[in-house]
Amino acid sequence: MYNKELIANTADKIIEDIDQYIDNTIRWQLDSSEFGLTEFDDLYELELQIKQQLLFTLIKKVTK
């Protein structure tokens, strides 16, 4: 059996990397002018909704 601390630490590091990648990718996608976003749009709420959709989709894929 593998060390639980090793597993937890490795998973935490991967989650940090994935979270940073997701944040960057969302910003790159939203920078595109094709969405017609303005500086007045609530980008935080939009990013949160995108992350929620990603999480939902990943859970569906992993649990198939």
Side-chain angles (χ1 to χ4, degrees):
M1 178 160 222
Y2 293 103
N3 181 318
K4 289 182 182 181
E5 186 176 339
L6 171 66
I7 294 169
N9 289 341
T10 303
D12 288 345
K13 176 61 177 145
I14 292 169
I15 293 297
E16 286 177 25
D17 291 345
I18 290 171
D19 190 42
Q20 183 177 8
Y21 177 79
I22 289 170
D23 286 343
N24 290 337
T25 303
I26 289 171
R27 286 188 196 104
W28 294 329
Q29 292 295 317
L30 294 180
D31 279 347
S32 173
S33 61
E34 70 183 86
F35 297 109
L37 298 173
T38 69
E39 63 183 284
F40 303 107
D41 289 321
D42 187 356
L43 296 181
Y44 175 79
E45 182 64 28
L46 179 56
E47 288 178 5
L48 182 60
Q49 289 181 14
I50 292 169
K51 285 183 177 184
Q52 289 170 338
Q53 181 63 43
L54 285 168
L55 180 59
F56 176 73
T57 302
L58 286 171
I59 290 170
K60 280 178 47 177
K61 286 185 175 247
V62 170
T63 58
K64 277 189 176 181

